[in-house]
Amino acid sequence: MLHVLRVNKADMNAEEVLKYVDKNTIGVMVTFGVTFTCHYEPAAEIAAALDKLQKETGLDIPIHVDAASGGFVAPFVEPDLVWDFRIPRVRSINGSGHKYGMAPLGVGWVVWQDKIDLPEDLTFYVNYLGGNMPTFALNFLWPGGQIISQYYLFLRLGREGYRRI
């Protein structure tokens, strides 16, 4: 049975992660900004341990960073902390704009390092405005106002505006 290891433990370290991964592990999820403690799990250390594991065993286990709480905080308060796509093993990151991005409740997103990291089986195509548009979403179920609001804030505030706030 395939599984994803979700770290989400304040005392979890790279050595501890290696105790839980095996040939059936399809990914390790690192929580970057635990909601109640703001604790950043050590993404770089875990990636280094997984790099070593790959050299020893051939197991290539990617990392997903759940940055719902920390993704909008760390770049401003700890800009030198490496936790994102600067780590090659990090293949995807999710964020929540409604937490610290000032967007309406419910706005969140996920980004992938490379198109190859989003399996074609998870993408579907919709005919929209006369074209065939690839998408990975639940289409047309919710109004788009929250997304437009987040987009506006990104454009209006930019990095410098968020830093000031």
Side-chain angles (χ1 to χ4, degrees):
M1 171 181 265
L2 300 176
H3 65 273
V4 173
L5 172 64
R6 181 173 181 105
V7 178
N8 203 10
K9 186 177 170 198
D11 60 347
M12 186 65 82
N13 58 39
E15 186 177 298
E16 192 72 13
V17 167
L18 293 180
K19 293 178 184 177
Y20 295 98
V21 298
D22 60 27
K23 66 180 177 158
N24 296 314
T25 306
I26 61 171
V28 171
M29 184 181 301
V30 174
T31 304
F32 191 74
V34 176
T35 302
F36 302 111
T37 65
C38 295
H39 174 78
Y40 300 145
E41 293 172 340
E45 292 175 26
I46 291 169
L50 291 172
D51 289 344
K52 184 178 179 204
L53 179 71
Q54 182 179 4
K55 285 180 185 171
E56 294 170 356
T57 67
L59 295 175
D60 186 10
I61 301 171
I63 291 176
H64 169 77
V65 176
D66 178 354
S69 292
F72 259 106
V73 177
F76 303 103
V77 298
E78 295 188 64
D80 296 328
L81 184 59
V82 178
W83 58 274
D84 50 20
F85 291 136
R86 292 173 287 179
I87 301 170
R89 192 168 290 281
V90 172
R91 306 311 304 160
S92 57
I93 300 171
N94 71 283
S96 294
H98 69 267
K99 289 184 178 170
Y100 298 106
M102 300 171 42
L105 186 60
V107 172
W109 58 90
V110 62
V111 290
W112 283 267
Q113 171 75 299
D114 196 299
K115 185 177 180 178
I116 196 168
D117 296 315
L118 176 58
E120 184 66 27
D121 292 347
L122 296 179
T123 304
F124 62 95
Y125 295 84
V126 279
N127 188 322
Y128 185 68
L129 298 177
N132 201 15
M133 180 179 80
T135 185
F136 174 75
L138 299 174
N139 283 320
F140 311 113
L141 297 177
W142 291 73
Q146 297 98 327
I147 296 166
I148 296 300
S149 173
Q150 180 75 86
Y151 181 66
Y152 169 79
L153 289 166
F154 282 152
L155 293 178
R156 175 80 176 165
L157 297 173
R159 185 179 181 93
E160 181 58 26
Y162 276 110
R163 188 198 61 74
R164 280 194 318 268
I165 292 168

